[in-house]
Structures are given as C-alpha cells and as structure tokens.
Amino acid sequence: MNNIIEETKFIMKKYNIKASKSLGQNFLINEEVVNKIVECSEITKEDLVIEIGPGLGTLTKELLERAGKVICIELDNKMIQILKERFSLYNNFELINNDVLKVDLQKLIKNEKQTGKIKNAKVVANLPYYITTPIIMKLLENKLDLNSITVMIQREVADRLIAIPGKKNTGAITYSVYYYANSEEILEVPNSSFIPEPEVTSKVIKLTIRKEKIVNPIDVNKMFNVIKSAFMQKRKTLINSLNNNGILKNKEQGIELLKTLNINENVRPEELGIEEFAKISDKL
Ligand code: SAM
C-alpha cells in the first residue's frame, strides 16, 4: 500500500485505534514530511536510531530501511501490538514498551556500540507534545553518546529551542540547547499533515550535538541556575531577577559585578549571550 493516508486509516480501522489525546497521538500522514525527516537525519547502516513514540510505525518503516538498528520506545500497549506485527520480519528492529523518561538511554546506546556494528546514535521522532521539553532536556543533559536529535515538535517550542542566545525569542531553555547542540530548522508542518489534526502548527528541527564546548564555566550547573533565575521574571532587569531569586546578596553586588564585566547595569537577561552568563556565574 503506497498511499500513507490510506495506510494509516487502514491500520487504525483494523486495530480499532482511536488516537489518544492524553498520549499526544497525532499520526503523520504527509509523505513529503516523512521523507524530509528521514533525509535530514542522514541515517546510515552504521547508525542506531532511537525512535521515541513510533505510534503506528509510519516513520519507523523508513528508518528500518536505512539504519543499522532501530530501537523504538512506545508507551501505548495498543501501538506495541501493531508495531510487532508490522515489523516482525526486520532483524534490525527492537521495541521497548515503556515511558521514554524512564528508559536508561545511556546503557542502551553503550550496549549497541559494544557490538561493533554501530558507530553513531541518533534520535528521530515525532514527539508527543505534552512532554516535549522533559524529553529534549533528558536527551541533552544525560550526557548521552548521541550525534543528533531530529524531532517534530510544536512550532512555538521549536522557535524557542533554536533561538540564538542574546537575540529574539529566547528563554532559559534556549541557552541549554545552545550549550549542548547546534540547532537548525528543517521545515514547518501544517496541521493537516496529521490524523487527527493537532491544534497547533508543528516544526521539524535538528539538533547536532556539539563535540567541543562553546563555553567553559567553572561550574556548569551554577551557570544554568543563574540563567534559570534570570529568566524567571522576564520583564525585569537581570539584577532585579537575580536579586529577587536569591542569587545576589543585594542589588549593589549585582551592579558591582556587571561593572567589572563592562555590562550595563540595566541589562535584561534576554540581551545576554551564553559567554556573558558564564562570566557572571564564574564571578559569583
Ligand atoms: N511516530 C508516530 C507518527 O509520526 O505518526 C506517532 C507520533 S505521536 C505524535 C506520539 C507518540 O508517542 C504516540 O504513539 C504516543 O503513544 C507516544 N508516547 C506518548 N507518551 C510517551 C512516552 N512517555 N514514552 C514513549 N512514547 C510515548
């Protein structure tokens, strides 16, 4: 069956599937988008692909043709049955029935690399939107041996994640993503590309994990703590936010500190780059 819409409807009918809103189930039915995701992930036979939330298996099918191995992590039992039946003939297919946030990805990647056949690990997913941020943060912060993360997510979240620190559209999470990865927008995806249609527009983004650190603060956790505190009250100046959140002893300490770094004392957090936050954190 070639037509992706027909195929999706056929599988949903056969297994009596009603998409679960609470599990963020919006199944992709746009062939061009599927091709674009797979293409920009640059998958080879030396790659392990971890697919989060494979659902009915639309992306999975294409990933299995290209990757050395595909490990799918899916929470919904109903999808597990479908995926098992659909892909039982592929010997590079593995399925984990669990919440992705509970899976030890580090161990998973290590085990696959030990086989010698796998050189790189890549994440490819049309993510469940209700847990986009925790998933992305887990992938970035757990120091996984990953090359890239290609994901479809809600447009507004995508714009925030791939913004450049110091420019428009930033939040604390922008700095985290920028610290760990080089990000790019792949394409915008209209609501009509899914069954059922989500209420929001989507975007595919690719995060390529940095091999070299872009800043080297004395204490990375401290730097991120400063950034989070700075962005808690976005309309305030940096000094007011840091003072209100207990990072500074008092405003005078902040004024003094910014002076030594040649930064205007009325600066707002979103005007600062990650290098400046690293310097502020080092001086605190
Ligand atoms: N990949 C499919 C596609 O593109 O058509 C389905 C994508 S759908 C947006 C998200 C998928 O994530 C659903 O299959 C859902 O059951 C699954 N999911 C939801 N929460 C999950 C979790 N915590 N861990 C793993 N999978 C989850």
PDB file of all heavy atoms in Angstrom, residues 23-28 51 53-55 58 73-76 98-100 126-128 130-131, ligand 1:
ATOM      1  N   LEU A  23      -2.085  10.967  25.305  1.00  0.00           N
ATOM      2  CA  LEU A  23      -0.752  10.440  24.951  1.00  0.00           C
ATOM      3  C   LEU A  23      -0.131  11.226  23.788  1.00  0.00           C
ATOM      4  O   LEU A  23       0.892  10.837  23.240  1.00  0.00           O
ATOM      5  CB  LEU A  23      -0.840   8.952  24.593  1.00  0.00           C
ATOM      6  CG  LEU A  23      -0.963   7.976  25.767  1.00  0.00           C
ATOM      7  CD1 LEU A  23      -1.138   6.558  25.262  1.00  0.00           C
ATOM      8  CD2 LEU A  23       0.273   8.048  26.674  1.00  0.00           C
ATOM      9  N   GLY A  24      -0.785  12.307  23.406  1.00  0.00           N
ATOM     10  CA  GLY A  24      -0.238  13.164  22.343  1.00  0.00           C
ATOM     11  C   GLY A  24      -0.194  12.478  20.999  1.00  0.00           C
ATOM     12  O   GLY A  24       0.742  12.661  20.215  1.00  0.00           O
ATOM     13  N   GLN A  25      -1.224  11.657  20.702  1.00  0.00           N
ATOM     14  CA  GLN A  25      -1.190  10.887  19.452  1.00  0.00           C
ATOM     15  C   GLN A  25      -1.766  11.652  18.270  1.00  0.00           C
ATOM     16  O   GLN A  25      -2.975  11.836  18.157  1.00  0.00           O
ATOM     17  CB  GLN A  25      -1.927   9.555  19.651  1.00  0.00           C
ATOM     18  CG  GLN A  25      -1.147   8.616  20.556  1.00  0.00           C
ATOM     19  CD  GLN A  25      -1.849   7.308  20.821  1.00  0.00           C
ATOM     20  OE1 GLN A  25      -3.008   7.141  20.499  1.00  0.00           O
ATOM     21  NE2 GLN A  25      -1.134   6.367  21.429  1.00  0.00           N
ATOM     22  N   ASN A  26      -0.884  12.114  17.405  1.00  0.00           N
ATOM     23  CA  ASN A  26      -1.258  12.714  16.127  1.00  0.00           C
ATOM     24  C   ASN A  26      -0.382  12.023  15.092  1.00  0.00           C
ATOM     25  O   ASN A  26       0.832  12.207  15.082  1.00  0.00           O
ATOM     26  CB  ASN A  26      -1.002  14.227  16.132  1.00  0.00           C
ATOM     27  CG  ASN A  26      -1.795  14.926  17.215  1.00  0.00           C
ATOM     28  OD1 ASN A  26      -1.295  15.144  18.313  1.00  0.00           O
ATOM     29  ND2 ASN A  26      -3.031  15.250  16.933  1.00  0.00           N
ATOM     30  N   PHE A  27      -1.007  11.201  14.271  1.00  0.00           N
ATOM     31  CA  PHE A  27      -0.230  10.365  13.363  1.00  0.00           C
ATOM     32  C   PHE A  27       0.073  11.105  12.060  1.00  0.00           C
ATOM     33  O   PHE A  27      -0.817  11.699  11.450  1.00  0.00           O
ATOM     34  CB  PHE A  27      -0.982   9.059  13.095  1.00  0.00           C
ATOM     35  CG  PHE A  27      -1.304   8.312  14.373  1.00  0.00           C
ATOM     36  CD1 PHE A  27      -2.619   8.141  14.791  1.00  0.00           C
ATOM     37  CD2 PHE A  27      -0.291   7.823  15.179  1.00  0.00           C
ATOM     38  CE1 PHE A  27      -2.919   7.477  15.971  1.00  0.00           C
ATOM     39  CE2 PHE A  27      -0.576   7.160  16.366  1.00  0.00           C
ATOM     40  CZ  PHE A  27      -1.894   6.989  16.770  1.00  0.00           C
ATOM     41  N   LEU A  28       1.316  11.014  11.660  1.00  0.00           N
ATOM     42  CA  LEU A  28       1.797  11.732  10.478  1.00  0.00           C
ATOM     43  C   LEU A  28       1.262  11.072   9.207  1.00  0.00           C
ATOM     44  O   LEU A  28       1.370   9.850   9.053  1.00  0.00           O
ATOM     45  CB  LEU A  28       3.338  11.689  10.512  1.00  0.00           C
ATOM     46  CG  LEU A  28       4.121  12.572   9.592  1.00  0.00           C
ATOM     47  CD1 LEU A  28       3.700  14.023   9.707  1.00  0.00           C
ATOM     48  CD2 LEU A  28       5.616  12.449   9.920  1.00  0.00           C
ATOM     49  N   GLU A  51      13.886   5.744  18.083  1.00  0.00           N
ATOM     50  CA  GLU A  51      12.655   6.473  17.749  1.00  0.00           C
ATOM     51  C   GLU A  51      11.753   6.513  18.974  1.00  0.00           C
ATOM     52  O   GLU A  51      11.394   5.471  19.533  1.00  0.00           O
ATOM     53  CB  GLU A  51      11.907   5.829  16.566  1.00  0.00           C
ATOM     54  CG  GLU A  51      10.802   6.772  16.100  1.00  0.00           C
ATOM     55  CD  GLU A  51       9.749   6.200  15.158  1.00  0.00           C
ATOM     56  OE1 GLU A  51       9.818   5.007  14.801  1.00  0.00           O
ATOM     57  OE2 GLU A  51       8.848   6.964  14.801  1.00  0.00           O
ATOM     58  N   GLY A  53       8.210   7.234  20.562  1.00  0.00           N
ATOM     59  CA  GLY A  53       6.806   7.324  20.167  1.00  0.00           C
ATOM     60  C   GLY A  53       6.567   6.963  18.716  1.00  0.00           C
ATOM     61  O   GLY A  53       6.093   7.778  17.936  1.00  0.00           O
ATOM     62  N   PRO A  54       6.865   5.712  18.319  1.00  0.00           N
ATOM     63  CA  PRO A  54       6.684   5.314  16.915  1.00  0.00           C
ATOM     64  C   PRO A  54       5.222   5.259  16.474  1.00  0.00           C
ATOM     65  O   PRO A  54       4.945   5.317  15.276  1.00  0.00           O
ATOM     66  CB  PRO A  54       7.306   3.916  16.859  1.00  0.00           C
ATOM     67  CG  PRO A  54       7.245   3.418  18.274  1.00  0.00           C
ATOM     68  CD  PRO A  54       7.449   4.623  19.132  1.00  0.00           C
ATOM     69  N   GLY A  55       4.308   5.134  17.423  1.00  0.00           N
ATOM     70  CA  GLY A  55       2.883   5.101  17.070  1.00  0.00           C
ATOM     71  C   GLY A  55       2.557   3.938  16.162  1.00  0.00           C
ATOM     72  O   GLY A  55       2.882   2.790  16.476  1.00  0.00           O
ATOM     73  N   THR A  58       4.740   4.746  11.003  1.00  0.00           N
ATOM     74  CA  THR A  58       4.909   5.424   9.711  1.00  0.00           C
ATOM     75  C   THR A  58       6.369   5.810   9.448  1.00  0.00           C
ATOM     76  O   THR A  58       6.914   5.536   8.378  1.00  0.00           O
ATOM     77  CB  THR A  58       4.023   6.687   9.668  1.00  0.00           C
ATOM     78  OG1 THR A  58       2.709   6.294  10.058  1.00  0.00           O
ATOM     79  CG2 THR A  58       4.010   7.312   8.301  1.00  0.00           C
ATOM     80  N   ILE A  73      10.774   3.258  21.276  1.00  0.00           N
ATOM     81  CA  ILE A  73      10.299   3.318  22.663  1.00  0.00           C
ATOM     82  C   ILE A  73       8.868   3.863  22.627  1.00  0.00           C
ATOM     83  O   ILE A  73       8.641   5.010  22.232  1.00  0.00           O
ATOM     84  CB  ILE A  73      11.196   4.228  23.517  1.00  0.00           C
ATOM     85  CG1 ILE A  73      12.649   3.744  23.436  1.00  0.00           C
ATOM     86  CG2 ILE A  73      10.705   4.255  24.969  1.00  0.00           C
ATOM     87  CD1 ILE A  73      13.658   4.691  24.053  1.00  0.00           C
ATOM     88  N   GLU A  74       7.913   3.030  22.983  1.00  0.00           N
ATOM     89  CA  GLU A  74       6.492   3.423  22.888  1.00  0.00           C
ATOM     90  C   GLU A  74       5.773   3.034  24.183  1.00  0.00           C
ATOM     91  O   GLU A  74       5.941   1.938  24.702  1.00  0.00           O
ATOM     92  CB  GLU A  74       5.865   2.727  21.671  1.00  0.00           C
ATOM     93  CG  GLU A  74       4.379   2.870  21.511  1.00  0.00           C
ATOM     94  CD  GLU A  74       3.878   4.308  21.361  1.00  0.00           C
ATOM     95  OE1 GLU A  74       4.265   4.980  20.401  1.00  0.00           O
ATOM     96  OE2 GLU A  74       3.095   4.749  22.234  1.00  0.00           O
ATOM     97  N   LEU A  75       4.972   3.953  24.671  1.00  0.00           N
ATOM     98  CA  LEU A  75       4.266   3.748  25.939  1.00  0.00           C
ATOM     99  C   LEU A  75       2.949   3.010  25.763  1.00  0.00           C
ATOM    100  O   LEU A  75       2.540   2.224  26.624  1.00  0.00           O
ATOM    101  CB  LEU A  75       4.007   5.136  26.559  1.00  0.00           C
ATOM    102  CG  LEU A  75       3.396   5.212  27.942  1.00  0.00           C
ATOM    103  CD1 LEU A  75       4.235   4.471  28.960  1.00  0.00           C
ATOM    104  CD2 LEU A  75       3.258   6.669  28.367  1.00  0.00           C
ATOM    105  N   ASP A  76       2.292   3.207  24.627  1.00  0.00           N
ATOM    106  CA  ASP A  76       0.932   2.692  24.440  1.00  0.00           C
ATOM    107  C   ASP A  76       0.941   1.218  23.994  1.00  0.00           C
ATOM    108  O   ASP A  76       1.427   0.876  22.916  1.00  0.00           O
ATOM    109  CB  ASP A  76       0.235   3.571  23.385  1.00  0.00           C
ATOM    110  CG  ASP A  76      -1.228   3.223  23.220  1.00  0.00           C
ATOM    111  OD1 ASP A  76      -1.694   2.234  23.821  1.00  0.00           O
ATOM    112  OD2 ASP A  76      -1.907   3.955  22.469  1.00  0.00           O
ATOM    113  N   ASN A  98       7.695   1.247  27.135  1.00  0.00           N
ATOM    114  CA  ASN A  98       7.927   1.988  28.378  1.00  0.00           C
ATOM    115  C   ASN A  98       7.763   3.491  28.127  1.00  0.00           C
ATOM    116  O   ASN A  98       7.712   3.943  26.983  1.00  0.00           O
ATOM    117  CB  ASN A  98       9.344   1.687  28.888  1.00  0.00           C
ATOM    118  CG  ASN A  98       9.506   1.945  30.380  1.00  0.00           C
ATOM    119  OD1 ASN A  98       8.644   2.553  31.015  1.00  0.00           O
ATOM    120  ND2 ASN A  98      10.618   1.501  30.939  1.00  0.00           N
ATOM    121  N   ASP A  99       7.742   4.225  29.205  1.00  0.00           N
ATOM    122  CA  ASP A  99       7.770   5.686  29.143  1.00  0.00           C
ATOM    123  C   ASP A  99       9.216   6.080  28.839  1.00  0.00           C
ATOM    124  O   ASP A  99      10.134   5.676  29.567  1.00  0.00           O
ATOM    125  CB  ASP A  99       7.329   6.224  30.513  1.00  0.00           C
ATOM    126  CG  ASP A  99       7.427   7.725  30.620  1.00  0.00           C
ATOM    127  OD1 ASP A  99       8.026   8.361  29.739  1.00  0.00           O
ATOM    128  OD2 ASP A  99       6.916   8.251  31.621  1.00  0.00           O
ATOM    129  N   VAL A 100       9.441   6.846  27.790  1.00  0.00           N
ATOM    130  CA  VAL A 100      10.817   7.195  27.395  1.00  0.00           C
ATOM    131  C   VAL A 100      11.581   7.866  28.540  1.00  0.00           C
ATOM    132  O   VAL A 100      12.807   7.709  28.666  1.00  0.00           O
ATOM    133  CB  VAL A 100      10.823   8.088  26.127  1.00  0.00           C
ATOM    134  CG1 VAL A 100      10.162   9.431  26.391  1.00  0.00           C
ATOM    135  CG2 VAL A 100      12.235   8.296  25.609  1.00  0.00           C
ATOM    136  N   ASN A 126       8.653  11.963  16.009  1.00  0.00           N
ATOM    137  CA  ASN A 126       7.538  12.902  16.006  1.00  0.00           C
ATOM    138  C   ASN A 126       7.055  12.835  17.457  1.00  0.00           C
ATOM    139  O   ASN A 126       6.351  11.907  17.840  1.00  0.00           O
ATOM    140  CB  ASN A 126       6.474  12.426  15.009  1.00  0.00           C
ATOM    141  CG  ASN A 126       5.196  13.220  15.098  1.00  0.00           C
ATOM    142  OD1 ASN A 126       5.147  14.279  15.709  1.00  0.00           O
ATOM    143  ND2 ASN A 126       4.143  12.697  14.476  1.00  0.00           N
ATOM    144  N   LEU A 127       7.483  13.773  18.257  1.00  0.00           N
ATOM    145  CA  LEU A 127       7.320  13.649  19.711  1.00  0.00           C
ATOM    146  C   LEU A 127       5.884  13.873  20.192  1.00  0.00           C
ATOM    147  O   LEU A 127       5.141  14.647  19.587  1.00  0.00           O
ATOM    148  CB  LEU A 127       8.217  14.674  20.421  1.00  0.00           C
ATOM    149  CG  LEU A 127       9.713  14.404  20.443  1.00  0.00           C
ATOM    150  CD1 LEU A 127      10.429  15.515  21.215  1.00  0.00           C
ATOM    151  CD2 LEU A 127      10.049  13.054  21.062  1.00  0.00           C
ATOM    152  N   PRO A 128       5.533  13.213  21.312  1.00  0.00           N
ATOM    153  CA  PRO A 128       4.268  13.564  21.963  1.00  0.00           C
ATOM    154  C   PRO A 128       4.448  14.949  22.594  1.00  0.00           C
ATOM    155  O   PRO A 128       5.337  15.147  23.423  1.00  0.00           O
ATOM    156  CB  PRO A 128       4.100  12.473  23.034  1.00  0.00           C
ATOM    157  CG  PRO A 128       5.450  11.876  23.236  1.00  0.00           C
ATOM    158  CD  PRO A 128       6.256  12.126  22.010  1.00  0.00           C
ATOM    159  N   TYR A 130       2.984  16.814  24.736  1.00  0.00           N
ATOM    160  CA  TYR A 130       2.778  17.135  26.154  1.00  0.00           C
ATOM    161  C   TYR A 130       4.049  16.968  26.998  1.00  0.00           C
ATOM    162  O   TYR A 130       4.108  17.471  28.109  1.00  0.00           O
ATOM    163  CB  TYR A 130       1.615  16.311  26.741  1.00  0.00           C
ATOM    164  CG  TYR A 130       1.945  14.850  26.995  1.00  0.00           C
ATOM    165  CD1 TYR A 130       2.214  14.376  28.279  1.00  0.00           C
ATOM    166  CD2 TYR A 130       2.013  13.932  25.943  1.00  0.00           C
ATOM    167  CE1 TYR A 130       2.526  13.044  28.515  1.00  0.00           C
ATOM    168  CE2 TYR A 130       2.317  12.605  26.161  1.00  0.00           C
ATOM    169  CZ  TYR A 130       2.565  12.167  27.449  1.00  0.00           C
ATOM    170  OH  TYR A 130       2.883  10.853  27.675  1.00  0.00           O
ATOM    171  N   ILE A 131       5.038  16.241  26.458  1.00  0.00           N
ATOM    172  CA  ILE A 131       6.296  16.115  27.224  1.00  0.00           C
ATOM    173  C   ILE A 131       7.529  16.457  26.373  1.00  0.00           C
ATOM    174  O   ILE A 131       8.624  15.937  26.602  1.00  0.00           O
ATOM    175  CB  ILE A 131       6.492  14.720  27.875  1.00  0.00           C
ATOM    176  CG1 ILE A 131       6.113  13.609  26.894  1.00  0.00           C
ATOM    177  CG2 ILE A 131       5.780  14.608  29.199  1.00  0.00           C
ATOM    178  CD1 ILE A 131       6.572  12.233  27.367  1.00  0.00           C
TER     179      ILE A 131
HETATM  180  N1  SAM B   1       5.578   8.472  15.264  1.00  0.00           N
HETATM  181  C1  SAM B   1       4.172   8.417  15.023  1.00  0.00           C
HETATM  182  C2  SAM B   1       3.836   9.268  13.814  1.00  0.00           C
HETATM  183  O1  SAM B   1       4.680  10.116  13.449  1.00  0.00           O
HETATM  184  O2  SAM B   1       2.768   9.104  13.228  1.00  0.00           O
HETATM  185  C3  SAM B   1       3.353   8.843  16.247  1.00  0.00           C
HETATM  186  C4  SAM B   1       3.696  10.194  16.815  1.00  0.00           C
HETATM  187  S1  SAM B   1       2.590  10.735  18.078  1.00  0.00           S
HETATM  188  C5  SAM B   1       2.782  12.496  17.887  1.00  0.00           C
HETATM  189  C6  SAM B   1       3.460  10.462  19.600  1.00  0.00           C
HETATM  190  C7  SAM B   1       3.653   9.004  20.025  1.00  0.00           C
HETATM  191  O3  SAM B   1       4.319   8.998  21.298  1.00  0.00           O
HETATM  192  C8  SAM B   1       2.362   8.208  20.245  1.00  0.00           C
HETATM  193  O4  SAM B   1       2.488   6.972  19.602  1.00  0.00           O
HETATM  194  C9  SAM B   1       2.286   8.005  21.767  1.00  0.00           C
HETATM  195  O5  SAM B   1       1.635   6.833  22.150  1.00  0.00           O
HETATM  196  C10 SAM B   1       3.751   8.005  22.150  1.00  0.00           C
HETATM  197  N2  SAM B   1       4.032   8.398  23.548  1.00  0.00           N
HETATM  198  C11 SAM B   1       3.319   9.251  24.324  1.00  0.00           C
HETATM  199  N3  SAM B   1       3.904   9.398  25.520  1.00  0.00           N
HETATM  200  C12 SAM B   1       5.028   8.624  25.516  1.00  0.00           C
HETATM  201  C13 SAM B   1       6.052   8.356  26.470  1.00  0.00           C
HETATM  202  N4  SAM B   1       6.053   8.930  27.667  1.00  0.00           N
HETATM  203  N5  SAM B   1       7.035   7.497  26.125  1.00  0.00           N
HETATM  204  C14 SAM B   1       7.044   6.909  24.892  1.00  0.00           C
HETATM  205  N6  SAM B   1       6.105   7.128  23.954  1.00  0.00           N
HETATM  206  C15 SAM B   1       5.101   7.967  24.251  1.00  0.00           C
END
